[in-house]
Structure formats: structure tokens, C-alpha cells
Amino acid sequence: MQKSKKLLLIGGSKGNVHLLNYYNLISSYFDEILVVSDFEFEACPSVLLQFEFKSPIALVRHVKALRKVIEAFQPTIIHVHQANAYGFVTCLANQNKAPIALTTWGSDVLTLPHKSFLHRWMVKYILKSAKEITADAGYMGAAIEQLIGKTEVTLANFGVELSAVEVSAERAPLIYSNRMHEPLYQIDQIILQAATFLTHHPGWILHLAASGSQTTKLQELAQQNLPNGSHEFLGFQAGADNQRNYLAAQVYVSIPTTDGTSISLLEAMAYGCIPIVSDLPANREWIEHGKNGLITSGDLSKDLALAQTLDIHQVQQLNKQIIAQRATKAVNQSKFMALYDRILA
């Protein structure tokens, strides 16, 4: 009799749908899935546990709590998202009972190891404890190899759904940003740098979706620096609402200081926006400046003016081809399922 395939899926989901998207991507592979997170997860059975720790006592408490969950659930595979507190608590609690798959998200392997010797040691410990590792950008794989030496890293993202919607080149004068309102994503710079363009182009509107710890501060900043009626805070946008925003906007803007492959960038490409993104290695794996989008010059007003000179129809055709080849849910689902096959074999 074939052994039941049971996945313990561990990670965070505050303010984003990444963990839910991943669950939906791979749920059909398993007979049973239990999610462990420090935020509510309603798509399947879940356990609410804490992972962040500021003292050894808190760390020990979190490890013991997760160890009880592992012993009770008896997973076939543990898949943890991010080589940070989530990965560290998971590896300590697991005690090599089940094979661990690790999905890195970007900052966990790009910036966290450089905070201190202890952070670097922690990330390396997590990476070495994983049987399989995934990253969504080639340069993240290179960063992982710099930490632990040559190792196999599966390049995969969570994919976008190419639904049967009409992607039109006729677009409203809208600029769309839906990254979280946290310092990493530089929403304040989007507001400040777009001010000149919005002042000289009446009728254009900056749509800022999502939310976060800086939302109130950002609303005040926009009120002080942008022309009246030139901006709107949309709040958290998901599913059909998010899709409608992409389909309406002429330009999509995302300028974080560090990032892996952003699913929101892939969605913007799939739904016909002209992307303007920060000059990061992961972004350069998807965007060729002046051809299928723009790498920001550091002056968003100039970038927005330059975007008007691009042939949006040509940009859309190029990006449609890129997404179909490398970024659909079907393409990436097969990669993750092959990874699970290797573990179980």
C-alpha cells in the first residue's frame, strides 16, 4: 500500500498571498496538508505558532511548540518558506525527522547573512539542513552557493495565471504600484519621484495598492507632494480586483531596494503594463531596458516620460511570450512537483 503523502507547509502570510498562492499551486500533489504560520491561514487545516524570537528562551519555546506539531502530524515532507526565523525554528524542531524543502524569497539569502556573523551562521545552517532548495532568480542561486558552496538550486517561482482576458494596448493614464507599504519597497520614493511627472501631466493618476506599517505616513506624504486628484490609495487588492488594476494601467512601478523575482512584476507583464523596476539582478533577468520595460534611472518622472515613447503593443507581445515560456503556474507547478518526486524517491 502506498504511503500517504503529507506536507507540513511552514511560512508567513501577513499582508500578502504568497503562501496561499503556493498552497494552491501544489495542493493536488498531497493527500494531506497542514499549514503552520504566525498568521491566520484559512485555505486548509492550520496551526498558529510564533517564529520570531528576541531571546534564547523565546526560541526554545517556539521550537518545542513546532516539534509537538511535527510529532503529531508525522509529515512526509516539510516545506518551509524563507531561510530566516521560519527556517531556523523549523530545522531545530525537525531533528532530521522529515526531509526539508526550503524556498528562499530574496532578502533571506541576499541581505540577512550580511547583518552579523550570527545571522550568516543561521542562514548557512538552514541551507545546509535542506534536502532541496528553490530560488526564483538565478542570482539568488549564486548567493546561496557563495554561502554554502556548490549546491543544486531549483529555479522556480509561484507562477501567474494566464486567464482568457483581453489585454488591450488602449490604456488609461494610470500608474499602478501594489508592493507593501514597508521601507524595503520605497513607496515614499515612488511618491516623491513621480511628483514632477504628475504635475506636468494633468489627468494622470498614481494608484497605490496594498498596505503596511507606513500607510498613514505615505498618505500624508502624497497629500503634501502630489497635485490634488493625482493619486489614490486603493488598499489591499487581490484576485479579480488586482487583475482589473493591471489591465487598466499603462505603467507598473516597483522599486524595492532588494528583491527576488516579484510575482507582481510577472503579473504586470502578463496583463500588459509597461514595467518600470529598480536596477536589481532579478529584475534584469526579466526586463531588458527599453525593450519590454524600463530599469529605473533613479528619477521616476523621467522614466514615466520615457515609458510614453515605447510601443506598448510591442512591449505586451514580448512580455506575453516571456511569461508563457517561463512564468506560468503550469510551468512552475511541474518544477515543484518534480522536486517532491526527488525527495520521495
Side-chain angles (χ1 to χ4, degrees):
M1 184 178 178
Q2 188 176 13
K3 185 179 179 181
S4 177
K5 292 184 289 189
K6 300 171 67 175
L7 174 68
L8 189 66
L9 179 59
I10 300 173
S13 56
K14 181 184 180 182
N16 63 61
V17 293
H18 292 331
L19 202 66
L20 176 61
N21 285 341
Y22 186 74
Y23 167 81
N24 290 332
L25 189 69
I26 52 82
S27 59
S28 62
Y29 185 91
F30 292 94
D31 300 303
E32 193 174 350
I33 298 178
L34 178 66
V35 168
V36 180
S37 179
D38 44 0
F39 302 104
E40 297 291 341
F41 191 90
E42 299 178 352
C44 72
S46 62
V47 175
L48 196 63
L49 290 182
Q50 295 301 308
F51 289 86
E52 290 295 335
F53 55 89
K54 294 183 179 180
S55 70
I57 294 174
L59 174 60
V60 170
R61 185 167 60 247
H62 300 340
V63 168
K64 285 183 176 179
L66 182 56
R67 188 170 294 158
K68 288 181 180 178
V69 173
I70 293 172
E71 290 173 350
F73 185 62
Q74 293 291 302
T76 313
I77 298 172
I78 297 174
H79 195 149
V80 60
H81 285 241
Q82 297 189 77
N84 52 19
Y86 294 110
F88 192 51
V89 171
T90 298
C91 292
L92 291 174
N94 183 46
Q95 295 182 314
N96 296 316
K97 285 186 171 65
I100 291 176
L102 168 69
T103 288
T104 57
W105 280 20
S107 60
D108 49 350
V109 294
L110 299 174
T111 61
L112 188 60
H114 304 292
K115 283 191 171 184
S116 72
F117 168 79
L118 286 176
H119 284 94
R120 187 177 183 86
W121 175 87
M122 180 184 74
V123 174
K124 290 172 68 174
Y125 170 77
I126 298 165
L127 292 168
K128 289 179 178 179
S129 298
K131 189 174 182 65
E132 293 278 352
I133 301 172
T134 82
D136 58 26
Y139 89 113
M140 286 171 59
I144 290 168
E145 288 199 359
Q146 287 180 354
L147 287 166
I148 62 170
K150 190 165 182 61
T151 188
E152 287 292 326
V153 177
T154 297
L155 291 183
N157 55 69
F158 298 169
V160 296
E161 194 69 68
L162 288 180
S163 56
V165 294
E166 182 181 352
V167 176
S168 172
E170 298 298 321
R171 297 277 165 146
L174 294 174
I175 306 158
Y176 187 47
S177 168
N178 60 355
R179 305 309 297 271
M180 295 298 294
H181 298 176
E182 303 295 342
L184 168 68
Y185 297 107
Q186 298 199 110
I187 308 302
D188 57 338
Q189 289 302 309
I190 291 177
I191 292 168
L192 294 172
Q193 291 181 31
T196 300
F197 178 86
L198 292 171
T199 298
H200 291 98
H201 294 79
W204 276 80
I205 299 176
L206 173 61
H207 275 174
L208 295 165
S211 60
S213 64
Q214 293 193 316
T215 298
T216 301
K217 179 181 175 182
L218 292 170
Q219 289 171 335
E220 294 171 354
L221 188 70
Q223 193 68 33
Q224 293 164 3
N225 290 275
L226 300 181
N228 289 335
S230 68
H231 70 277
E232 185 177 355
F233 283 79
L234 305 179
F236 182 71
Q237 302 285 291
D241 292 329
N242 200 33
Q243 185 187 85
R244 275 193 295 271
N245 292 323
Y246 287 126
L247 290 169
Q250 186 175 141
V251 177
Y252 171 79
V253 177
S254 173
I255 57 170
T257 55
T258 184
D259 210 357
T261 293
S262 163
I263 290 298
S264 59
L265 168 59
L266 302 183
E267 290 172 338
M269 293 168 67
Y271 292 122
C273 304
I274 297 174
I276 300 177
V277 294
S278 43
D279 191 358
L280 298 174
N283 288 337
R284 286 192 174 274
E285 292 179 22
W286 296 96
I287 300 299
E288 183 177 344
H289 181 71
K291 189 173 182 181
N292 68 324
L294 298 174
I295 304 293
T296 184
S297 64
D299 184 340
L300 191 53
S301 284
K302 289 184 179 179
D303 299 329
L304 289 166
L306 181 58
Q308 310 312 301
T309 69
L310 299 183
D311 183 337
I312 189 170
H313 181 73
Q314 186 177 41
V315 169
Q316 289 174 342
Q317 291 300 110
L318 287 170
N319 284 335
K320 182 179 179 181
Q321 293 172 10
I322 292 169
I323 296 300
Q325 291 168 2
R326 299 167 52 196
T328 64
K329 287 189 179 296
V331 166
N332 288 281
Q333 183 186 58
S334 66
K335 292 183 179 182
F336 283 109
M337 290 187 173
L339 177 148
Y340 293 139
D341 285 340
R342 290 196 298 272
I343 291 177
L344 295 180

